[in-house]
Amino acid sequence: MASRPLSPHLSIWKWRVHAITSITHRITGNGLAFAGLSAFAWWLAAAATSREAYETFQAFAGSIFGWVLWVGLSWAFFQHLLSGIRHLLMDTGWGYDLGVAKASATWTWVGSVLLTAAFWGVILFGKGVF
């Protein structure tokens, strides 16, 4: 039996920032739906159930794993938001030039990190900001 050759795209494919941004948009949407709704449902159920249940939720929320989850969810939100705006603009016909597509994808990543840092900076250090 002769072995069949692999498709050439496997050897020449390169991961570009605009492709990674598009894939990440789908991943963050699913992550927000699953992890975000799960955390929200747990919070609601704990608040409606008992003091002990709510204290258990608070203990998780204040743990290292909880902080990683909250920061990750906020980054996923901003990444999904900015990428969604980028996709919406591309639906109007803007941004299909390769240079513009790469730049807008790159700025989506930069913006999501900066917005996440600003969001947590206001939460942690912004006493009296509002």
Side-chain angles (χ1 to χ4, degrees):
M1 173 183 258
S3 64
R4 296 170 39 140
L6 291 175
S7 178
H9 77 279
L10 294 175
S11 62
I12 63 171
W13 180 261
K14 292 187 173 56
W15 288 94
R16 307 268 193 234
V17 68
H18 46 287
I20 295 169
T21 303
S22 183
I23 293 166
T24 304
H25 180 72
R26 289 161 180 81
I27 293 170
T28 55
N30 287 315
L32 287 167
F34 179 74
L37 285 176
S38 295
F40 183 63
W42 184 16
W43 174 73
L44 281 177
T49 304
S50 68
R51 176 183 296 258
E52 293 80 23
Y54 194 71
E55 287 172 354
T56 301
F57 175 80
Q58 282 185 314
F60 168 79
S63 70
I64 296 295
F65 186 74
W67 276 99
V68 169
L69 178 69
W70 305 134
V71 172
L73 281 172
S74 61
W75 171 81
F77 171 77
F78 289 121
Q79 176 70 22
H80 193 74
L81 174 71
L82 295 178
S83 182
I85 292 169
R86 178 179 176 264
H87 279 283
L88 184 63
L89 290 171
M90 291 178 80
D91 286 344
T92 68
W94 175 86
Y96 281 107
D97 285 340
L98 186 58
V100 175
K102 286 181 179 180
S104 64
T106 301
W107 281 107
T108 298
W109 287 91
V110 171
S112 67
V113 170
L114 292 176
L115 285 171
T116 302
F119 175 75
W120 285 101
V122 167
I123 287 177
L124 296 174
F125 307 112
K127 296 190 186 331
V129 171
F130 295 106

